Amino acid sequence: MSKSKMMGGRQTDKDFKEQGNKYFNANKFDSAIESYSKAIALNPNIPTYYTNRALCYIKNNRFPQAVQDSKAALERDSTLVKGHFYLGSSLLELDKIDDSIKHLQTAFELAKKDPGSYYDDTIASKLRLARKKKWNTQEEKRLQQEIDLQTYINRLILEDRDRRLSSMKDESGDEVSSNVTEIERDADNYISDVNALFAKVDDRRAKREIPDYLCGKISFELLKDPVITPSGITYDRKDITEHLERVGHFDPVTRTKLTQDMLVPNYAMKEVVDDFVSKNEWALYY
């Protein structure tokens, strides 16, 4: 007999779950955690008890505990959308970005298959945030590498200047003085040229980012063949076509009926994307 069916005046796991829900709705997250923990102690096989507690941990910024509970829920049901979503969200807060993206993507794909789900928009926003964070991390690394390279080249120029000047320290005369001036001038010019070159290469100290409106709402990548639906939502043709064939004939965002013949090329958006790419070729690798 399930422990949730136990009688005799004792509270069951379901009682503690309901109690936890009431505490959660009242923003009493510590009390909710305690109630969900009691429910788990009575019946550790219910995955939603773990996701409920995981969300409380997230609300309290206790992300390692949220990770642990989310994993426990997925061990019991690997298709649980909230399990993947809470796990991905918590991993993102812990800067484990690649793992975060993996679970958020899984949550998004699972939610997308359910026409009655309202959860995928929230997941999509979090997934977009995770991918941005990964991009920004790569950008910071790239910027630092460029700065380090520029510093290294400038140091080599100065070392070469000092070495040439040192070789002339025991000499004197007008010719030597002229050579010293020339060496110093050359070094200054070389450094100026190097700095100018690095300043031109990709505006190295300016972070690169693609605006959200230029990215598809399904793949989150730069739009290549934008089409618009009757609801006014723009998708990449490849992404929305795949959705219609695999998931169902409805708009992923508005949930209204949608078929391929209702898709119209969004030429205005295509022009905007092409203009952006022409000025930012790096966007092709975003």
Side-chain angles (χ1 to χ4, degrees):
M1 180 181 292
S2 170
K3 292 182 180 179
S4 64
K5 302 294 184 181
M6 291 176 64
M7 305 298 290
R10 294 178 56 189
Q11 285 183 291
T12 67
D13 55 298
K14 289 184 178 180
D15 291 331
F16 284 119
K17 184 208 62 170
E18 292 301 324
Q19 184 182 78
N21 291 348
K22 291 178 181 178
Y23 282 132
F24 180 86
N25 292 330
N27 294 326
K28 297 180 179 180
F29 303 123
D30 288 332
S31 296
I33 289 171
E34 183 178 350
S35 294
Y36 292 137
S37 296
K38 290 177 180 178
I40 291 171
L42 288 176
N43 192 348
N45 299 316
I46 306 298
T48 53
Y49 294 172
Y50 295 93
T51 53
N52 286 357
R53 191 170 67 176
L55 183 56
C56 293
Y57 283 135
I58 290 174
K59 293 292 186 179
N60 280 347
N61 295 324
R62 297 170 64 182
F63 301 110
Q65 291 89 337
V67 166
Q68 184 177 355
D69 268 3
S70 299
K71 287 182 176 179
L74 291 174
E75 287 173 359
R76 290 157 176 80
D77 182 357
S78 61
T79 66
L80 199 61
V81 173
K82 289 184 178 181
H84 287 287
F85 179 61
Y86 295 160
L87 179 54
S89 299
S90 300
L91 290 170
L92 182 60
E93 295 294 337
L94 296 172
D95 288 328
K96 297 181 179 180
I97 302 176
D98 288 336
D99 287 339
S100 169
I101 291 174
K102 180 182 72 173
H103 285 285
L104 290 173
Q105 184 67 50
T106 300
F108 181 77
E109 294 297 330
L110 290 171
K112 191 170 63 173
K113 294 177 181 178
D114 180 8
S117 175
Y118 60 88
Y119 215 65
D120 54 341
D121 291 342
T122 303
I123 299 169
S125 297
K126 185 70 71 170
L127 180 56
R128 177 70 173 149
L129 179 63
R131 289 187 170 180
K132 276 188 175 182
K133 192 170 184 178
K134 180 177 181 178
W135 172 260
N136 289 338
T137 299
Q138 293 172 335
E139 280 293 275
E140 290 173 1
K141 183 178 179 181
R142 178 188 66 84
L143 294 175
Q144 189 58 52
Q145 287 175 337
E146 290 185 6
I147 292 172
D148 291 345
L149 178 59
Q150 181 183 5
T151 301
Y152 175 70
I153 293 174
N154 284 338
R155 186 172 72 246
L156 290 179
I157 293 172
L158 294 176
E159 289 176 352
D160 179 67
R161 179 203 64 186
D162 294 343
R163 185 168 53 252
R164 294 172 66 188
L165 292 176
S166 179
S167 67
M168 302 172 61
K169 65 181 180 179
D170 296 328
E171 302 178 15
S172 60
D174 293 340
E175 183 177 352
V176 172
S177 178
S178 177
N179 289 340
V180 168
T181 300
E182 182 178 355
I183 291 171
E184 292 178 340
R185 183 178 62 249
D186 287 347
D188 290 341
N189 289 337
Y190 291 149
I191 289 176
S192 179
D193 289 344
V194 168
N195 291 342
L197 177 62
F198 274 87
K200 291 179 181 179
V201 178
D202 198 22
D203 295 326
R204 62 180 186 154
R205 289 187 174 89
K207 289 189 175 181
R208 306 180 293 185
E209 186 173 0
I210 296 179
D212 287 349
Y213 65 86
L214 296 183
C215 295
K217 295 185 178 299
I218 296 178
S219 67
F220 311 103
E221 297 177 354
L222 185 70
L223 289 165
K224 297 180 177 63
D225 184 8
V227 293
I228 191 168
T229 70
S231 300
I233 308 297
T234 295
Y235 298 97
D236 192 275
R237 183 183 295 277
K238 176 179 177 295
D239 296 333
I240 190 62
T241 299
E242 181 178 319
H243 165 81
L244 295 175
E245 291 176 349
R246 293 188 177 184
V247 183
H249 295 122
F250 62 92
D251 189 310
V253 172
T254 64
R255 301 292 176 182
T256 56
K257 180 182 178 180
L258 181 65
T259 55
Q260 290 193 38
D261 62 293
M262 299 168 70
L263 301 175
V264 177
N266 191 335
Y267 294 116
M269 178 60 74
K270 177 63 174 173
E271 185 176 343
V272 172
V273 171
D274 289 345
D275 180 66
F276 182 83
V277 171
S278 69
K279 298 174 182 177
N280 305 274
E281 292 186 4
W282 53 265
L284 295 173
Y285 307 99
Y286 181 73

